[in-house]
């Protein structure tokens, strides 16, 4: 039997499939089922600071409409914040008693001082690592790229001062010097990077002439975006890579390991299939490794990365020139 165990961001995992941050992991029962089906670790849904602020605003608007004196509700935001934190910290405590796989907490905050407060609570509750779901949309025309990038480093610096569990950064790819930024993030003391997060995107309903949400779940066609950057990063950065987005089957997962991923994160595929789908993906990985004669993941990890491939230039190709120059294409 091939050995599927792996290290990742200072953790030891029995398998390389991590269930990504989402409500797939929002109860102990679900986490137990994921462990039973072979998951190597789970990431809990993020604590969204913005969500707490919005909930507070909506409660205050309701009270205002009833003509209440808002002075009486001065500390209400702290109350809502405590409720959100309590439910996540309780989940971490209960999960840690019930499963043996690592439980990774996740935070997404807007104001930098909150990142550190939340991080400390999650560490104290027993989280094995902390994933920073960080994304500052570069839409502010008055802020240059350096200023935006500095925000990331400031958050990492502050969180590092506060906690000692491994820190993982869940990245976006909206950076002009992406590879350099990934390297700098790793050099700032981060143990792992998730490449990449997938964000809410607006779409239009052309009948109602309204803005709506684009598809919440990814499609299998999306995985080559991270494949390129995983392959370009492997062997050149100081932290381990979790490939994410569009990994819907064992073939996509194996490709990410060949590119150099340490682990993969899976979300949409599990919403589309049953939770036991993790087992199917692992069985197929084992069958493939057996067929190829690989005893462990390190036997083939990174073999098609840019650093190790025989044709490194292919990773830097961005135009389809030759494709359109074939016979009959003018
Ligand atoms: C319903 C749903 C909830 C999610 N919630 C979070 C979240 O709280 N924090 C986060 O960092 N990512 C969240 N994500 C993003 C996923 O963790 C993942 O990065 C994304 O879905 C891409 O992976 P996939 O192609 O395997 O779905 C969510 C995704 C979905 C579909």
């Amino acid at each position: 039997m091939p050995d599927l165990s792996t290290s990742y961001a200072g953790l030891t995992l029995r398998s390389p499939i991590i269930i990504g941050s989402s409500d797939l992991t929002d109860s102990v029962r679900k986490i137990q089922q994921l462990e039973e089906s072979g998951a190597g670790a789970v990431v809990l849904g993020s604590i969204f600071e913005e969500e707490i602020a919005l909930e507070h605003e909506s409660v205050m608007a309701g009270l205002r409409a009833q003509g209440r004196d808002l002075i009486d509700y001065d500390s209400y935001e702290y109350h809502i914040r405590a409720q959100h934190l309590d439910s996540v910290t309780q989940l971490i405590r209960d999960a840690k008693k019930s499963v043996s796989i690592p439980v990774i907490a996740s935070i997404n905050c807007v104001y930098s001082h909150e990142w550190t407060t939340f991080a400390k609570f999650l560490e104290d509750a027993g989280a094995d690592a902390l994933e920073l779901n960080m994304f500052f949309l570069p839409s502010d025309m008055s802020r240059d790229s350096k200023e935006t990038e500095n925000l990331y480093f400031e958050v990492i610096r502050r969180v590092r001062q506060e906690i000692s569990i491994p820190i993982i950064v869940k990245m976006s790819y909206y950076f002009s010097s992406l590879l350099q930024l990934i390297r700098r993030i790793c050099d700032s003391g981060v143990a792992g990077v998730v490449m990449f997060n997938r964000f809410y995107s607006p779409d239009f309903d052309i009948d109602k002439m309204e803005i709506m949400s684009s598809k919440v779940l990814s499609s299998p066609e999306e995985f080559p975006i991270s494949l390129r950057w995983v392959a370009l990063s492997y062997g050149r950065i100081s932290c381990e890579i979790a490939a994410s987005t569009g990994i819907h089957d064992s073939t996509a997962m194996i490709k990410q390991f060949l590119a150099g991923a340490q682990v993969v994160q899976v979300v949409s595929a599990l919403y589309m299939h049953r939770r036991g789908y993790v087992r199917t993906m692992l069985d197929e990985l084992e069958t493939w490794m057996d067929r190829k004669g690989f005893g462990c993941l390190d036997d083939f990890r990174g073999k098609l990365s840019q650093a190790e491939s025989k044709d490194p230039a292919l990773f830097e190709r961005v135009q389809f020139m030759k494709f359109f120059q074939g016979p009959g294409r003018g």
Side-chain angles (χ1 to χ4, degrees):
M1 279 292 252
D3 177 8
L4 298 187
S5 66
T6 182
S7 65
Y8 168 62
L11 308 170
T12 303
L13 311 191
R14 64 188 184 146
S15 92
I17 298 185
I18 295 183
I19 312 309
S21 182
S22 60
D23 41 22
L24 289 168
T25 58
D26 67 3
S27 75
V28 174
R29 203 177 58 84
K30 288 185 192 173
I31 296 172
Q32 279 172 321
Q33 285 172 347
L34 290 164
E35 179 180 51
E36 278 159 27
S37 73
V42 293
V43 186
L44 305 182
S46 305
I47 300 184
F48 290 96
E49 185 195 343
E50 209 174 0
E51 198 172 63
I52 297 171
L54 288 175
E55 192 177 324
H56 177 244
E57 264 170 40
S58 114
V59 170
M60 289 298 131
L63 292 169
R64 214 175 289 120
Q66 292 168 24
R68 302 274 185 93
D69 188 350
L70 296 189
I71 292 280
D72 296 339
Y73 296 89
D74 229 11
S75 58
Y76 209 76
E77 186 165 7
Y78 288 97
H79 173 69
I80 296 173
R81 193 168 158 276
Q83 264 185 342
H84 277 256
L85 273 176
D86 277 355
S87 68
V88 180
T89 50
Q90 195 55 50
L91 176 59
I92 294 171
R93 281 194 196 94
D94 293 342
K96 288 302 297 171
K97 280 186 223 142
S98 317
V99 296
S100 55
I101 55 173
V103 175
I104 302 170
S106 167
I107 49 177
N108 169 272
C109 303
V110 184
Y111 309 105
S112 63
H113 68 277
E114 290 285 31
W115 290 86
T116 49
T117 322
F118 289 1
K120 187 73 191 131
F121 273 104
L122 298 168
E123 177 179 54
D124 290 347
D128 293 288
L130 179 68
E131 198 173 274
L132 302 179
N133 167 9
M134 268 204 284
F135 182 45
F136 307 112
L137 190 78
S139 59
D140 181 347
M141 287 197 185
S142 65
R143 193 193 276 159
D144 67 20
S145 57
K146 196 95 199 135
E147 271 177 275
T148 307
E149 287 174 12
N150 284 344
L151 295 174
Y152 292 83
F153 291 102
E154 182 57 13
V155 170
I156 294 168
R157 191 183 62 77
R158 283 169 178 243
V159 175
R160 278 196 69 212
Q161 279 175 350
E162 206 62 43
I163 62 172
S164 52
I165 53 174
I167 298 170
I168 297 157
V169 174
K170 193 172 190 186
M171 305 267 318
S172 89
Y173 49 84
Y174 294 100
F175 293 98
S176 51
S177 299
L178 181 57
L179 209 50
Q180 193 209 47
L181 187 93
I182 293 170
R183 198 186 67 204
R184 285 173 55 216
I185 283 189
C186 292
D187 290 347
S188 69
V190 159
V193 276
V194 183
M195 293 157 77
F196 297 102
N197 204 348
R198 183 175 183 275
F199 302 101
Y200 164 88
S201 293
D203 193 358
F204 294 158
D205 181 324
I206 60 168
D207 291 323
K208 293 186 187 156
M209 303 274 282
E210 281 174 3
I211 303 168
M212 58 180 204
S213 165
S214 64
K215 280 191 188 146
V216 174
L217 300 182
S218 69
S219 68
E221 290 75 37
E222 292 175 50
F223 89 89
I225 298 175
S226 52
L227 190 75
R228 177 201 295 266
W229 293 102
V230 170
L232 286 169
S233 305
Y234 179 74
R236 301 198 170 110
I237 57 174
S238 59
C239 56
E240 291 174 330
I241 303 168
S244 164
T245 294
I247 301 166
H248 283 237
D249 54 33
S250 57
T251 305
M253 170 172 64
I254 291 165
K255 289 179 185 179
Q256 294 286 7
F257 296 141
L258 286 167
Q262 199 72 11
V263 292
V264 293
Q265 287 199 359
V266 177
V267 173
S268 295
L270 296 191
Y271 279 108
M272 292 175 187
H273 300 83
R274 62 201 189 290
R275 234 165 250 124
Y277 191 59
V278 175
R279 175 56 56 206
T280 307
M281 287 177 73
L282 291 173
D283 287 347
E284 289 175 5
L285 171 63
E286 276 179 352
T287 306
W288 179 82
M289 285 172 69
D290 264 341
R291 203 171 66 235
K292 292 283 176 193
F294 295 133
C296 66
L297 297 167
D298 277 340
D299 286 349
F300 64 99
R301 184 180 277 127
K303 285 280 176 271
L304 292 181
S305 64
Q306 190 184 41
E308 293 191 23
S309 113
K310 290 191 199 90
D311 208 348
L314 280 181
F315 290 104
E316 313 230 1
R317 188 148 121 204
V318 287
Q319 306 297 343
F320 285 110
M321 290 171 307
K322 289 203 175 114
F323 180 81
F324 289 111
Q325 280 166 12
R329 292 178 195 268

